[in-house]
Amino acid sequence: MTTATALVSIVDDDVSVRRALRRLVQSGGYTVETFASAPEFYDSAPLGRTACLVLDIHLDGMSGFELQERLAAERTGIPVIFMTAHDDDATRERVRRSGAVAYLRKPFDEQVLLDAIRTALGPAS
């Protein structure tokens, strides 16, 4: 999958974060879809085309962890990059056990996210 065809989906409940991340990830040459909640992403058509998921952990309703667990149970194979502003030992341990590609603490350096996406997409990206 080339960079231009790779769909990166972003789930964050903060509209300003979604806008900023959309611009950043598009500047890296990726196609981007954004979602305000885990259920909105889970019930969307782009789920099946998503090559990488950038996922906030603390969301109302279904958390980022719950969404990732559901996707893993369904063997979607979508690589996940977790992000959060609420860092603690329990969260880091849960991320470690989840098999996520990366864990980013907000605010994070833009290049770190772009590098994590490239890692998630593999050598062809």
Side-chain angles (χ1 to χ4, degrees):
M1 183 172 300
T2 66
T3 300
T5 60
L7 174 61
V8 177
S9 292
I10 298 167
V11 181
D12 195 293
D13 53 1
D14 184 321
V15 67
S16 63
V17 170
R18 287 195 308 274
R19 277 192 208 122
L21 292 180
R22 173 187 290 276
R23 284 190 302 272
L24 170 63
V25 175
Q26 284 175 330
S27 77
Y30 302 101
T31 302
V32 179
E33 293 281 346
T34 62
F35 303 89
S37 71
E40 182 183 342
F41 170 73
Y42 187 77
D43 295 333
S44 73
L47 181 140
R49 297 182 291 118
T50 296
C52 178
L53 177 60
V54 178
L55 180 58
D56 191 20
I57 291 173
H58 298 283
L59 299 165
D60 289 335
M62 182 190 302
S63 74
F65 285 132
E66 291 167 324
L67 174 59
Q68 187 270 340
E69 289 165 0
R70 187 177 286 188
L71 295 173
E74 294 175 6
R75 302 190 193 296
T76 63
I78 299 171
V80 173
I81 298 168
F82 279 120
M83 59 182 176
T84 188
H86 309 284
D87 182 45
D88 58 44
D89 290 340
T91 299
R92 284 190 299 276
E93 177 59 23
R94 193 161 176 191
V95 168
R96 188 189 63 73
R97 287 184 280 121
S98 75
V101 172
Y103 173 57
L104 307 178
R105 290 174 295 280
K106 297 175 185 174
F108 46 81
D109 183 86
E110 294 176 349
Q111 191 59 51
V112 171
L113 175 58
L114 293 174
D115 290 346
I117 292 169
R118 269 192 291 285
T119 298
L121 296 176
S125 64

